[in-house]
Amino acid sequence: MYRKTVVFEPKDIEIFKDKLLSWSQQFEEVTWLDSNNYNRRYSSFDSILAFDALTSIQTDAFDAFDKLKEYQSVTHDWLFGYLTYDLKNDVERLESNNYDGLEFPDLYFFQPKKIITIKGTKVEFHYLPMVDDEVEEDFNLITNFSTDDPNRANEQNAIKIKLRIHKDEYLHKVQKMLDHIHRGDIYEANFCQEFYAENTELAPLKSYRHLNEISKPPFATFLKIRDKYLMSASPERYLRKEGLHILSQPIKGTAKRAPFLKADVQLVNSLRNNPKERSENIMIVDLVRNDLSRVAVKGSVKVEELCKVYTFEQVHQLISTVKATVTDDMNPIDIIKASFPMGSMTGAPKISAMKIIEELEETKRGLYSGAVGYFTPVGDFDFNVVIRSILYNAGKKYISFSVGGAITAESIPENEYEECLIKAKAMREVLEGKDKGEKV
């Protein structure tokens, strides 16, 4: 790849990022990953943009991982894209028969002609040789691009959000989940519900910017694949590989923020010491350890952090960090397949939990609770967990976001419902035009 490096003044880098994302909208395939300048111990870039596909792969769940493995081995290049939750049907003998209003392909990756990375104030342009003569022109177009779109400042019409599962039905379904737990069928399961709007148009980039401004998460994503969009404010990493080291950082355990410091500190301490929230997290950590042990060097799976509180704009979260080592002949796709779908969005035991989830949920999850990320030419990768996200099929004019939480033996259905509303707050504010609080 051809490479050009530009160093900006600190005051100009955010302006450049804003222009860059706006300018990229002319392309059919766009993946934008942004850390929002979180000082993360494990990261390669502050932001990365991949766009303009040379080749791509799109498939349903049948043999999806094998098809991706073949595609990755042939290209030996950067690949950007997503894995939907429903690839579970390729990993195990499972099905997804619930309603799908979004109709995203189960798997999509593309080989970009152009990649732009940002680290601190350094911007690097990585272009394939066939388009390397476009670098200077693109750079000039981006730096001179006007983001003064007269429509950008206008208020988006309020979108009427519907619930796929209403409160009474939600409480009934959580009780059914608890019945499974009390019978010993499962220990924990992640139960999700969809909020949606039909026959409704959305300004995707504007909505992403609003969501990102509200949440400022470390794994923000804007994904455009023709007429299908993801606007994600995810705080969670699914899986990262760098060299022979792999890393997973599951989230389980949530508390709302308080407007005043003293109360906020009390909420942190309460979350850190909450037996139910800790048990949720520890059960998923055990599941992640088991998943990674399938592909890791024996004895290399270690828990680096257990139930550490991380604070975001709207919530506090319990996050654990699990690390392992793999051999140099381990295929990167096999590493992902061994742990997919991620434990934080399924439950334990995993297969039983996924069967019960399919039975009780009303919507095909699709990209929600899947993963977005990239592979490098040498087989490293980094993927987030698609939560706190808005999905949009512009062709169908269908908007969707889902939220969920872990159900354990200690769960109280009313409390689980309130937690869902906390998690839904940012997406509702973006779509409905103002903060609706917790009234549904």
Side-chain angles (χ1 to χ4, degrees):
M1 282 189 130
Y2 174 84
R3 186 164 71 183
K4 170 188 174 69
T5 302
V6 180
V7 179
F8 283 83
E9 292 294 325
K11 63 183 177 63
D12 295 327
I13 195 66
E14 291 301 321
I15 297 172
F16 178 79
K17 287 169 62 175
D18 194 44
K19 290 175 177 285
L20 175 62
L21 191 52
S22 296
W23 173 82
S24 73
Q25 298 308 294
Q26 64 188 287
F27 298 95
E28 291 283 282
E29 308 87 5
V30 177
T31 302
W32 168 254
L33 306 171
D34 190 1
S35 72
N36 283 293
N37 301 314
Y38 269 82
N39 185 20
R40 294 185 292 151
R41 181 177 175 185
Y42 303 104
S43 65
S44 300
F45 315 102
D46 293 337
S47 310
I48 184 168
L49 176 75
F51 55 104
D52 197 9
L54 174 65
T55 66
S56 64
I57 179 175
Q58 172 180 314
T59 182
D60 60 16
F62 181 74
D63 285 342
F65 282 105
D66 286 342
K67 293 171 185 174
L68 179 59
K69 186 188 294 187
E70 180 181 6
Y71 180 61
Q72 193 262 346
S73 66
V74 169
T75 57
H76 274 299
D77 201 354
W78 290 88
L79 301 177
F80 288 75
Y82 68 76
L83 310 158
T84 66
Y85 169 82
D86 300 283
L87 294 182
K88 66 184 174 61
N89 305 332
D90 186 36
V91 179
E92 304 291 347
R93 299 182 68 178
L94 300 169
E95 296 180 342
S96 296
N97 297 315
N98 289 327
Y99 176 73
D100 179 14
L102 286 163
E103 298 181 355
F104 278 54
D106 288 337
L107 178 149
Y108 186 94
F109 280 86
F110 71 96
Q111 177 189 12
K113 296 177 187 174
K114 304 175 180 182
I115 299 171
I116 299 174
T117 64
I118 301 172
K119 186 79 170 179
T121 59
K122 184 169 74 173
V123 177
E124 291 189 352
F125 292 69
H126 304 257
Y127 279 34
L128 289 177
M130 65 187 67
V131 293
D132 60 7
D133 59 340
E134 299 176 17
V135 170
E136 294 300 334
E137 180 184 1
D138 285 355
F139 175 69
N140 290 330
L141 287 171
I142 295 165
T143 52
N144 293 309
F145 192 83
S146 174
T147 56
D148 296 329
D149 181 350
N151 297 318
R152 183 174 172 181
N154 294 342
E155 284 294 323
Q156 179 172 278
N157 292 332
I159 293 170
K160 178 63 176 176
I161 299 298
K162 301 178 183 179
L163 285 74
R164 186 68 62 188
I165 303 173
H166 288 272
K167 184 176 180 179
D168 288 346
E169 187 180 7
Y170 174 89
L171 300 178
H172 178 66
K173 286 175 177 287
V174 171
Q175 187 57 55
K176 280 190 171 183
M177 190 78 78
L178 287 168
D179 292 342
H180 281 290
I181 292 171
H182 295 148
R183 283 199 301 267
D185 301 331
I186 52 173
Y187 305 110
E188 175 178 354
N190 191 281
F191 178 60
C192 301
Q193 58 175 315
E194 183 195 24
F195 298 72
Y196 68 101
E198 299 171 294
N199 300 314
T200 305
E201 293 186 354
L202 184 69
L205 185 55
K206 180 178 178 180
S207 298
Y208 165 76
R209 284 190 167 111
H210 190 181
L211 183 63
N212 194 44
E213 181 61 30
I214 293 170
S215 303
K216 295 184 175 66
F219 296 99
T221 303
F222 179 88
L223 176 77
K224 174 188 177 184
I225 306 297
R226 294 181 288 277
D227 66 342
K228 297 177 178 65
Y229 296 86
L230 166 71
M231 297 137 273
S232 178
S234 174
E236 183 172 1
R237 169 181 273 132
Y238 159 45
L239 196 61
R240 171 181 168 86
K241 177 181 179 289
E242 185 176 26
L244 301 181
H245 303 288
I246 55 176
L247 170 82
S248 183
Q249 294 182 294
I251 291 179
K252 271 288 163 276
T254 304
K256 63 183 179 181
R257 296 291 309 273
F260 302 106
L261 180 60
K262 184 176 180 179
D264 209 38
V265 171
Q266 289 176 339
L267 288 171
V268 168
N269 291 331
S270 177
L271 177 61
R272 182 183 292 119
N273 297 305
N274 186 306
K276 174 190 174 292
E277 305 287 0
R278 289 183 64 87
S279 68
E280 284 183 17
N281 194 293
I282 291 167
M283 278 191 277
I284 297 306
V285 167
D286 286 341
L287 178 58
V288 171
R289 290 172 62 211
N290 182 66
D291 284 346
L292 297 186
S293 68
R294 298 177 187 175
V295 292
V297 174
K298 187 175 181 179
S300 70
V301 180
K302 306 291 183 185
V303 179
E304 184 176 83
E305 292 178 338
L306 184 63
C307 299
K308 181 175 179 180
V309 178
Y310 284 75
T311 296
F312 302 99
E313 291 291 311
Q314 294 192 315
V315 293
H316 305 291
Q317 305 268 202
L318 286 182
I319 303 180
S320 294
T321 300
V322 185
K323 300 175 70 175
T325 303
V326 295
T327 58
D328 58 5
D329 61 347
M330 178 61 65
N331 187 282
I333 312 300
D334 289 335
I335 296 171
I336 291 173
K337 186 177 181 180
S339 61
F340 198 85
M342 61 288 300
S344 62
M345 297 306 296
T346 53
K350 197 172 190 179
I351 297 173
S352 297
M354 289 191 288
K355 288 179 179 178
I356 293 168
I357 286 168
E358 175 69 16
E359 170 194 328
L360 292 177
E361 291 183 355
E362 297 290 334
T363 309
K364 179 180 177 179
R365 288 194 183 179
L367 186 46
Y368 172 71
S369 74
V372 172
Y374 62 84
F375 296 95
T376 72
V378 297
D380 289 343
F381 57 75
D382 204 357
F383 284 86
N384 70 3
V385 177
V386 180
I387 53 175
R388 321 289 162 82
S389 302
I390 298 169
L391 290 145
Y392 178 45
N393 183 323
K396 289 187 63 181
K397 298 183 180 180
Y398 188 90
I399 302 167
S400 171
F401 68 89
S402 295
V403 293
I407 309 303
T408 67
E410 292 81 20
S411 290
I412 299 170
E414 285 277 359
N415 293 351
E416 297 297 335
Y417 189 75
E418 292 302 313
E419 182 177 317
C420 283
L421 298 184
I422 293 170
K423 292 174 178 176
K425 187 177 179 182
M427 284 85 76
R428 295 191 67 213
E429 182 176 340
V430 169
L431 296 174
E432 295 181 326
K434 60 180 180 179
D435 183 354
K436 295 287 185 180
E438 296 186 354
K439 296 178 182 178
V440 176

